[in-house]
Amino acid sequence: MSQWRELARNGLWSNNPALVQLLGLCPLLAVSGSVVNALGLAFATLLVMVGASTTISLIRHQVPSAVRLPAFVMVIAAFVTCAELLMAAFAYSLYQVLGIFIPLIVTNCAILGRADAFASRQPVLPAAIDGFMMGLGFGAVLVLLGVLRELLGQGTLFSDMALLFGPIATSWQLTLVDDYQFLFFVLPPGAFFVAGLLIALKNVLDQRRTARAQPARATPRTERRVRVTGTIK
């Protein structure tokens, strides 16, 4: 259980692809303008990471080291194609909105880097769990960015959720501020600003946790030295 707990902690917090490794920032910052866009890309990335990590672990002994990276890219591209076709079949409107960023998952360094660093050296189950946790951590940051940017930029939450969940989600939108738009947070500069705040917040929390974990230093005892002088008679 300690191994699974460590994998979960690495993917969700201590080695998060978006907040620590700073990988895959192009789709992270470009697509997180709303919650529905972030959710769509998060689901696709999670599917690709789990499928690619599991498959690469299965074939790790059959792939020569000379063609390791090209083989990994082909595996990732196959799962990206599956995710793209599934989204085109079941959420075509969202697929059109996300556009080129679905095929660009192939070039996401978070997926390729984790596949080469972990999945190619581990059995199937740890590789699958690591892929799931890394994808979940990346998706959580992506959705959190979408929530903050949509809230600060448009004054709404869960707008256009019907693009992903169908007509049942039409009434999910929450309008917190009427007739409001702050263009800075809608555009990419706002994405950099909010992502920077999240990274800074994580660093502050880590520093505080480290400071609390360190044992308090004992106050050194001060010894009083008394000089005694005697008279010899």
Side-chain angles (χ1 to χ4, degrees):
M1 292 299 295
S2 61
Q3 181 185 8
W4 313 136
R5 193 179 300 111
E6 183 67 22
L7 291 176
R9 184 168 62 247
N10 282 337
L12 297 177
W13 187 259
S14 61
N15 201 23
N16 187 282
L19 297 181
V20 179
Q21 301 181 53
L22 300 180
L23 299 175
L25 294 184
C26 177
L28 184 79
L29 300 176
V31 180
S32 59
S34 64
V35 178
V36 64
N37 293 352
L39 274 175
L41 187 63
F43 286 149
T45 305
L46 180 62
L47 173 64
V48 173
M49 288 201 76
V50 174
S53 296
T54 305
T55 305
I56 288 170
S57 177
L58 285 171
I59 65 173
R60 68 187 188 278
H61 296 303
Q62 283 72 38
V63 178
S65 59
V67 296
R68 185 179 72 253
L69 290 181
F72 292 171
V73 172
M74 291 296 294
V75 172
I76 294 171
F79 281 98
V80 170
T81 302
C82 294
E84 186 177 8
L85 292 175
L86 287 172
M87 186 168 290
F90 296 102
Y92 186 69
S93 299
L94 182 60
Y95 169 75
Q96 288 182 312
V97 171
L98 295 179
I100 191 63
F101 291 102
I102 297 296
L104 280 179
I105 297 176
V106 176
T107 62
N108 193 327
C109 297
I111 302 175
L112 181 59
R114 202 60 188 169
D116 183 49
F118 191 87
S120 62
R121 296 172 171 84
Q122 298 293 329
V124 175
L125 185 57
I129 294 177
D130 179 77
F132 178 79
M133 289 302 173
M134 287 290 170
L136 192 62
F138 182 85
V141 176
L142 186 60
V143 173
L144 182 58
L145 273 174
V147 169
L148 294 176
R149 290 183 63 194
E150 183 178 345
L151 179 63
L152 297 173
Q154 304 177 33
T156 62
L157 279 178
F158 310 121
S159 61
D160 299 323
M161 294 297 284
L163 295 175
L164 183 60
F165 297 102
I168 192 175
T170 305
S171 60
W172 290 5
Q173 177 174 332
L174 300 176
T175 302
L176 304 179
V177 182
D178 293 325
D179 299 328
Y180 168 81
Q181 188 176 37
F182 195 166
L183 198 58
F184 173 76
F185 290 104
V186 177
L187 295 177
F192 278 99
F193 180 76
V194 177
L197 289 180
L198 291 179
I199 294 171
L201 178 61
K202 182 191 181 301
N203 291 336
V204 169
L205 293 176
D206 284 341
Q207 290 174 1
R208 290 184 177 180
R209 185 178 61 180
T210 303
R212 286 196 302 266
Q214 292 178 349
R217 293 183 178 179
T219 304
R221 293 178 57 187
T222 58
E223 298 180 356
R224 295 183 59 188
R225 294 183 179 181
V226 180
R227 184 177 181 182
V228 180
T229 57
T231 303
I232 301 176
K233 295 182 179 179

